[in-house]
Amino acid sequence: YGNFIDDLRVYVRGGTGGMGYPRLGGEGGRGGDVWFVARERITLKSIKEKYPQKRFVAGTGANSSVRALKGEKGKDCEVHVPLGISLVTDDGKHIGELNAAGERFLAARGGLGGSLATNFLPCKGQKRIVHLDLKLIADVGLVGFPNAGKSSLLSKISHAKPETASYPFTTIQPELGKIMYTDYKQISVADLPGLIEGAHANKGMGHKFLKHVERTKQLLLVVDISGFQLSIKTQFRTAFETILLLTKELELYKEELVAKPALLAINKMDLPCAKDNLNELLSQLQNPQDFLDLLEEEMIPANTLQFREIIPVSTYTGEGIEELKDCIRKSIDEEAEQENEEYRRKKLLLLQTSK
């Protein structure tokens, strides 16, 4: 998975409280808290390099004294983390998320200072192990089998410069690019490592890939018009079978993924016979039920993906690239308008009910 880190296990501990002062009834200061704070331009890799021990401990509360009967609170510990972080405990319990810059999460609370209630003895702070699980946030996620041309497509539609080659699994870490439009609108696109059959069962890069798809607003399936074969040991799949298999992998990992708005880019239209293959594929996509017998029963998805647009492209000649960029923009804008409409409706409903 290259140098890209998308999961980091850290130890957090709140500060111990300060000692109380029994003779004068003084209270010790509370221990400091450990906070995770979302910040832009932070990576899990940079956290690991800066804090190799991966331990974050807050300050101890001040002891109560004759000069200050109420001890001061211990110093809080703030850990800056990237956006799109899910916080998971060691036993797999999801405890929080940080998606926008400035969002904060209390990871470990400091202990109480010594007081009458605690017999003037301080309490220790909360301690636990937390997994910082990063899921990329992007408007569009490129989904496809290895060698479908996702990296080449990303470099054509955005300013990203991912590594490309003529063999499967060139992309070993997620790449983010931005499509820039003439009116300065920007749409982020994530090229994710290629899926293979069985990815839902964590084959290949399985879950490492699929978890990043969860956070993308829309999917852009990229399919090689001439079909796909991972190696001589695996079966050859036509473009139609590839689409069904990709849908099945998404569905088996998390059913909600198939409900996301989706576009289909049919790549490598510069190859001979591409036009004939395209006509055949379009007729299959119009009536997918008639062609399901091409696949084994366990590989057929329960729901077929509904594509908003199907765009034939060639990253080699540049055919269809501008049309694809326009389709992505239109689809994102429509989705945003729909969300705004729903938000307005809810607001109106709340106003009506409050009256």
Side-chain angles (χ1 to χ4, degrees), residues 231-245:
S231 70
I232 49 168
K233 292 178 184 173
T234 57
Q235 205 172 330
F236 172 79
R237 300 294 186 191
T238 64
F240 177 68
E241 289 172 347
T242 302
I243 293 166
L244 291 181
L245 286 168

Side-chain angles (χ1 to χ4, degrees), residues 140-209:
V140 180
L142 300 184
V143 178
F145 282 138
N147 240 33
K150 298 189 301 301
S151 297
S152 304
L153 187 62
L154 183 68
S155 63
K156 283 282 183 188
I157 62 177
S158 76
H159 296 295
K161 294 283 172 278
E163 190 183 329
T164 56
S166 59
Y167 53 83
F169 291 121
T170 321
T171 306
I172 54 168
Q173 64 184 52
E175 288 274 356
L176 269 175
K178 275 194 164 66
I179 308 176
M180 313 285 281
Y181 292 92
T182 48
D183 62 351
Y184 303 108
K185 164 95 174 174
Q186 295 183 15
I187 290 176
S188 56
V189 183
D191 168 27
L192 306 157
L195 274 173
I196 61 167
E197 285 179 43
H200 69 276
N202 215 8
K203 279 189 189 171
M205 293 181 181
H207 291 179
K208 276 199 160 187
F209 162 86

Side-chain angles (χ1 to χ4, degrees), residues 141-314:
L142 300 184
V143 178
F145 282 138
N147 240 33
K150 298 189 301 301
S151 297
S152 304
L153 187 62
L154 183 68
S155 63
K156 283 282 183 188
I157 62 177
S158 76
H159 296 295
K161 294 283 172 278
E163 190 183 329
T164 56
S166 59
Y167 53 83
F169 291 121
T170 321
T171 306
I172 54 168
Q173 64 184 52
E175 288 274 356
L176 269 175
K178 275 194 164 66
I179 308 176
M180 313 285 281
Y181 292 92
T182 48
D183 62 351
Y184 303 108
K185 164 95 174 174
Q186 295 183 15
I187 290 176
S188 56
V189 183
D191 168 27
L192 306 157
L195 274 173
I196 61 167
E197 285 179 43
H200 69 276
N202 215 8
K203 279 189 189 171
M205 293 181 181
H207 291 179
K208 276 199 160 187
F209 162 86
L210 287 160
K211 74 171 186 181
H212 292 300
V213 183
E214 287 179 53
R215 286 280 173 91
T216 56
K217 292 178 187 170
Q218 304 202 357
L219 305 178
L220 173 59
L221 263 71
V222 184
V223 171
D224 185 336
I225 188 61
S226 56
F228 170 70
Q229 187 172 16
L230 183 64
S231 70
I232 49 168
K233 292 178 184 173
T234 57
Q235 205 172 330
F236 172 79
R237 300 294 186 191
T238 64
F240 177 68
E241 289 172 347
T242 302
I243 293 166
L244 291 181
L245 286 168
L246 286 170
T247 309
K248 185 70 174 174
E249 291 303 331
L250 293 171
E251 186 180 80
L252 287 171
Y253 176 71
K254 217 169 217 183
E255 227 169 301
E256 304 92 88
L257 295 181
V258 186
K260 283 181 186 281
L263 300 169
L264 174 62
I266 299 163
N267 194 17
K268 306 192 184 179
M269 287 305 294
D270 52 285
L271 295 175
C273 304
K275 291 274 188 291
D276 296 339
N277 290 346
L278 177 65
N279 293 334
E280 187 186 347
L281 175 61
L282 291 175
S283 67
Q284 287 172 325
L285 287 172
Q286 274 177 341
N287 302 298
Q289 303 303 323
D290 301 346
F291 300 94
L292 293 180
D293 56 336
L294 297 170
L295 278 173
E296 297 84 11
E297 201 172 322
E298 65 272 12
M299 291 183 173
I300 299 168
N303 301 295
T304 49
L305 271 171
Q306 300 298 312
F307 298 109
R308 291 187 168 192
E309 298 278 352
I310 297 173
I311 311 103
V313 298
S314 166

